Amino acid sequence: MAITLFSAKDFAQKLKVTIQASGKLGFTGETGNHLHLAERAGIKIAKDDEKDVLYLIIIDTPSEDAFELRSSSGYYSAETSRLFDYLGYDYSEANIPFDLVRQDNLDEQLGGEVYYMKRRTNKRKETFQRTSEGES
């Protein structure tokens, strides 16, 4: 019998990244700390064409194929605008948030610590404009 016991502490932190209006991929401070980004060499992005999903790969060894991680005020980001332009993401009007889901079964194949980038859909409240006619 094969039984896997899961620890709640492994799932307590919600890991998040966002394609910002500048096209940079930004990590929340908590995500950066949890992933130990200060000690990492960079990130790679992979796309599964069959499933149309993205994967974030965190690497420890510098590579010319990786995006460099930069730190500012405790937050980490990578200059990814040209990649997301190529992939057709329209980040200029609104940030595009993702939750990260660990995919350790892909680590060896993709050469790093792999996370599925689960796109989050934010339903925006409609903004109603008041007209000057009869409304107070």
Side-chain angles (χ1 to χ4, degrees):
M1 172 172 23
I3 297 175
T4 302
L5 182 62
F6 297 102
S7 172
K9 70 180 181 180
D10 293 336
F11 301 96
Q13 177 68 41
K14 191 166 194 171
L15 304 176
K16 304 175 211 172
V17 295
T18 301
I19 303 173
Q20 301 167 344
S22 64
K24 290 182 180 179
L25 188 65
F27 297 80
T28 64
E30 296 82 16
T31 298
N33 290 336
H34 184 82
L35 299 177
H36 306 287
L37 293 182
E39 306 160 20
R40 304 303 182 111
I43 63 166
K44 293 181 180 182
I45 306 288
K47 182 180 178 208
D48 182 331
D49 294 324
E50 291 178 8
K51 298 179 184 176
D52 196 29
V53 298
L54 296 178
Y55 293 98
L56 173 76
I57 306 146
I58 303 172
I59 61 169
D60 293 328
T61 306
S63 167
E64 63 183 25
D65 294 324
F67 294 95
E68 181 182 349
L69 289 168
R70 300 182 188 267
S71 175
S72 177
S73 303
Y75 294 94
Y76 288 88
S77 65
E79 179 50 65
T80 52
S81 60
R82 293 181 68 192
L83 170 67
F84 291 123
D85 287 343
Y86 173 79
L87 293 174
Y89 284 85
D90 183 11
Y91 51 80
S92 62
E93 295 295 320
N95 292 340
I96 302 172
F98 295 87
D99 293 324
L100 297 178
V101 181
R102 185 72 170 100
Q103 300 291 298
D104 57 354
N105 60 315
L106 295 173
D107 287 358
E108 188 175 332
Q109 178 183 350
L110 296 179
E113 193 173 298
V114 180
Y115 293 84
Y116 163 58
M117 295 175 63
K118 181 179 179 185
R119 188 166 179 175
R120 203 176 330 140
T121 54
N122 289 342
K123 294 185 179 181
R124 297 177 183 242
K125 295 180 182 177
E126 288 187 38
T127 304
F128 295 97
Q129 295 181 346
R130 292 182 174 218
T131 62
S132 60
E133 296 177 25
E135 293 186 23
S136 53

